[in-house]
Each structure stands twice: as C-alpha cells, then as structure tokens.
Amino acid sequence: MPQISVRGLEMPESPIRKLAPLAAAAKRRGIKVYHLNIGQPDLPTPQVALDAIRNIDRDILEYSPSQGNLSYREKLVSYYAKFNINVEPDDIIITCGGSEAVLFAFMSCLNPGDEIIVPEPAYANYMAFAISAGATIRTITTTIDEGFSLPKVEKFEELINERTRAILICNPNNPTGYLYTRREMHQIRDLVKKYDLYLFSDEVYREFIYTGSPYISACHLEGIEQNVVLIDSVSKRYSECGIRIGALITKNKEVRKAVMKFCQARLSPPLIGQIAAEASLDADQEYLRTVYDEYVERRKCLIDGLNRIPGVYSPIPMGAFYTVAKLPVDNSDDFCRWCLEEFNYEGETVMMSPASGFYTTPGTGINEVRIAYVLKKEDLIRALHVLRMALEAYPGRVEG
C-alpha cells in the first residue's frame, strides 16, 4: 500500500473539530450539546449582506480577479482608515478566508526549514499552515497564572537563530482573548526591526475589544512597514464564517507579488462571498453596537460563572470571544471526551476544546480548555450549570 506523506502524518488534528464525531453521536442518543468549542457566532449576519446575495443581478457567476474585486478593496480602504490603518487598494489581496491569508503569507515569505516564533497557546491551525509550508513553529509560552501576558524580550531572543524568519501574533488573541499592550507591541516591533523579521499579525477580532486600552495594530508600528503582513477576515466581524472571505494586507510589494502567484494558482476568491462582504461594509453602526454589547454581556456571564465553579479559574479576556479556563481535572482531553461519551445532566452536556491542542510544548495546557462565548446568555448559564455538574461527577477530578 502506498505511504502517506510525512506532511500528512505530521498535520495535527484540530482541537476545535476533532471531537465533532463524539458530539454527533451524543446528539443521535438524544443528548443536547452546548457548543462552547468553536467560534461560530449565533448572531445574525447583516441584513444588507443577505439582501445583496438575494438580489444578485447577474447572468453569469464568473471568476473574480485573483486579488479580489477592486470595488471591495476600495471600500476596505475606508474601513481600515477608521482604525488609523492607512492602506491603498493595491496593498490588499482578498483571500479564501483568513486561513488562506496565513497559508499564502507563510508560502511566500518562508523557506522549508525556516522558523516562526509564536506565543502559545495559539490558534491551532497556525501549526497546520506551517507544516504545509515546510516551516517550523517555535513557541514562547504564556501562562494562565500571568494572564497570558508576553514574556520579556530575553525569552524571545533565546529562540532567535539563523533560521528565524518571522514572529506571528494574534491580537486580540484566539484562544485566550488576550489584548497586547502598547509596551508589548513595541517590544515585538523592536525585535522585528533588530533581526529584520517578518511580523505576521492576525487581527480578525479587532471589533471585539473590551477595555479602554487602545487597539494597537501591527500597521501602527513605525519603522517596520515593509516587514508587516496583516491577516484579516469577515467571518467573526459579521457572522459570515461560511462565505470564506479574508484578506492579506502588506506594504511590501515583493511579498504581494509572491502572494499573487499563489492567488493566481487557485484562480480567485469566492465571488458570492465578496458580494456579501462588500455589502456588509454598509451595515449601520447600530448593528455593530448591538453585536458588541451582546458579547460584552456574554463575556461577563461566562467569566463570572466559570470563576464561581469550585476549582475553576479563568482570567478576564480583554478581546475576541474566547477564554482559556483551568479546570480541576487530570486531563482536559479525557474530560472533554467523557462529557460527550459518558456524561449527561438532564439530557444535556457541553462540548469544549481541550487547550492542549493550542500548545506545542509537551505537557502544557493539560488541565485547560478553550471556551467560546458565542451562545446566547440563557444557553451560557445553562451550559455553566451542566459543566459544574460534570466536574462534580468526573472520576478524574483533581482537588486543589
């Protein structure tokens, strides 16, 4: 029998989706599953986007340009200007979701064997994209006990060698909800400048910041304009995960030229998705405010509820709509499986993402889970009660 590729063998399972078959089996048994595992918002997509799809007036659903529709890129310039991100349409390349933007950034900027420094815990698919590009992720660990703040510069420099090519951040962060401070962003800028590295900055959650601290984009950092590659997506901003529209933004013409070759090879980003995304830019401020306020309420509901459960601890996330929580269990992978396979409380259970899948350092995150607060408050309250009951019943519970 032919052998699977090394790349295929090394590709990690998604900690977000790998338990999906167990959830499906639980539902077939009649168990209600509260999905806290995935960042799929339940809030409505803007009506202007739905109307744009319903009212498409075309005889042919044609290929779009490889870099994306010009009309959409021109409107994005005005959107980014609201955040003091000053770009031109040619600086923007539309991609098939933020995932393709990350992958094409890696493929264009990294050689096989090159290394990327990434604070962990980190979005698990970064590892998958690095494997696809033949690159290696070197992680610098942040801890729940320190609120996931960045370590000192010396810890970064310990990892830098002749193969180091880039630093990758997600700000606000998935999975922790951490928001990098101005000091931390300047620390990263100085490292990028000193060692002439790329800075890949995933900023898809910029709308969801719950603190008075300013949003510091990588594009705000002076002196490294040619080093920055910004990753973006409409998936979470407008509850449009399914239209698969993202963006790669950079002032670096050589990077754009390389990225465009990959874009041409895959032909074009989704036409229908771009129509919806472009229309979404006309969503009124009331829509954005309502979505924001709802997440503020959900965050308070979840974090207060988690920290009231004996043995559970979650820091307060300052952005996105995730948190990483420490549980009184011996192994969160086993616990999450047990919740779906063996446990139910009054016919209900919870599905969470084991946090170990967001770390690459062995043994880290073993008693942590990532929770997405994308359910309405009534469901969050019920899910928290079910989680409390599960922890009380779990055979592998660890007393603090």
Side-chain angles (χ1 to χ4, degrees):
M1 180 183 293
Q3 296 295 306
I4 298 297
S5 70
V6 172
R7 184 181 293 110
L9 293 171
E10 290 180 349
M11 188 71 71
E13 286 187 300
S14 167
I16 304 164
R17 292 176 175 263
K18 69 180 182 181
L19 301 181
L22 301 184
K27 292 174 186 176
R28 287 195 296 271
R29 298 194 305 272
I31 306 299
K32 179 174 181 177
V33 178
Y34 290 100
H35 283 272
L36 304 173
N37 63 303
I38 191 166
Q40 171 58 64
D42 68 344
L43 299 175
T45 299
Q47 189 62 43
V48 287
L50 300 175
D51 290 344
I53 294 173
R54 292 189 181 106
N55 298 323
I56 289 174
D57 184 20
R58 291 170 180 254
D59 296 323
I60 301 173
L61 296 176
E62 73 277 14
Y63 287 125
S64 66
S66 294
Q67 70 269 43
N69 289 339
L70 178 59
S71 61
Y72 179 38
R73 290 184 288 119
E74 287 176 336
K75 284 181 74 172
L76 280 174
V77 169
S78 298
Y79 163 78
Y80 289 117
K82 297 175 184 176
F83 296 91
N84 197 30
I85 297 173
N86 300 311
V87 294
E88 301 296 327
D90 285 347
D91 298 331
I92 304 169
I93 296 174
I94 305 305
T95 57
C96 299
S99 296
E100 187 181 73
V102 177
L103 177 61
F104 284 1
F106 286 3
M107 298 290 281
S108 300
C109 300
L110 308 173
N111 290 313
D114 282 347
E115 296 182 356
I116 320 160
I117 297 175
V118 184
E120 68 174 353
Y123 179 54
N125 283 343
Y126 294 151
M127 176 62 76
F129 303 141
I131 289 171
S132 299
T136 300
I137 284 183
R138 298 286 302 279
T139 52
I140 184 163
T141 304
T142 66
T143 66
I144 194 169
D145 295 328
E146 295 181 350
F148 298 111
S149 60
L150 279 185
K152 296 188 185 308
V153 130
E154 292 77 20
K155 290 293 184 182
F156 279 86
E157 292 191 312
E158 287 173 8
L159 297 179
I160 294 176
N161 58 53
E162 68 279 0
R163 295 182 300 278
T164 307
R165 189 81 165 158
I167 294 174
L168 168 64
I169 61 172
C170 180
N171 185 37
N173 186 267
N174 173 11
T176 66
Y178 187 75
L179 180 70
Y180 291 117
T181 65
R182 186 184 299 274
R183 180 189 62 79
E184 288 170 330
M185 291 298 287
H186 286 174
Q187 169 183 323
I188 291 170
R189 175 202 61 195
D190 293 345
L191 283 166
V192 166
K193 194 170 185 178
K194 179 177 179 180
Y195 295 98
D196 195 23
L197 306 174
Y198 285 110
L199 174 57
F200 304 128
S201 188
D202 183 343
E203 301 181 10
V204 306
Y205 297 100
R206 72 173 62 81
E207 259 81 9
F208 309 115
I209 294 174
Y210 315 114
T211 171
S213 301
Y215 158 62
I216 309 296
S217 168
C219 292
H220 296 156
L221 303 176
E222 295 180 358
I224 59 168
E225 291 81 3
Q226 295 298 307
N227 305 66
V228 170
V229 179
L230 185 70
I231 308 299
D232 205 2
S233 169
V234 301
S235 291
K236 311 308 167 75
R237 183 181 310 145
Y238 300 122
S239 291
E240 291 174 342
C241 298
I243 69 171
R244 308 312 304 141
I245 294 296
L248 183 153
I249 301 158
T250 182
K251 294 286 188 182
N252 189 313
K253 291 182 181 179
E254 293 305 310
V255 171
R256 294 202 307 270
K257 189 184 299 184
V259 169
M260 276 302 300
K261 295 176 186 177
F262 292 99
C263 290
Q264 291 164 0
R266 62 83 161 109
L267 302 182
S268 65
L271 172 66
I272 304 300
Q274 289 180 85
I275 291 171
E278 182 174 336
S280 297
L281 291 169
D282 294 326
D284 58 33
Q285 286 302 307
E286 181 60 27
Y287 170 85
L288 297 172
R289 173 54 59 184
T290 299
V291 169
Y292 177 86
D293 289 346
E294 179 65 21
Y295 281 123
V296 169
E297 290 297 314
R298 292 179 182 189
R299 179 184 73 135
K300 184 178 189 315
C301 173
L302 178 71
I303 303 306
D304 287 352
L306 285 172
N307 287 318
R308 281 197 294 265
I309 300 174
V312 175
Y313 169 67
S314 171
I316 300 174
M318 292 301 172
F321 39 66
Y322 308 100
T323 195
V324 170
K326 185 187 295 184
L327 304 182
V329 299
D330 53 1
N331 184 298
S332 63
D333 283 82
D334 293 343
F335 175 67
C336 290
R337 286 181 171 275
W338 177 85
C339 284
L340 295 170
E341 289 184 311
E342 301 182 41
F343 172 79
N344 78 84
Y345 175 74
E346 297 180 348
E348 299 178 337
T349 193
V350 291
M351 184 179 185
M352 300 168 291
S353 296
S356 59
F358 298 91
Y359 293 86
T360 60
T361 304
T364 49
I366 198 69
N367 62 345
E368 298 170 5
V369 291
R370 188 197 75 162
I371 295 176
Y373 44 97
V374 292
L375 303 180
K376 59 185 179 181
K377 283 185 291 183
E378 300 94 300
D379 286 345
L380 281 178
I381 291 168
R382 181 62 180 174
L384 285 163
H385 184 63
V386 173
L387 175 59
R388 178 191 286 261
M389 295 298 105
L391 288 169
E392 289 183 2
Y394 184 54
R397 181 182 175 91
V398 175
E399 300 300 334

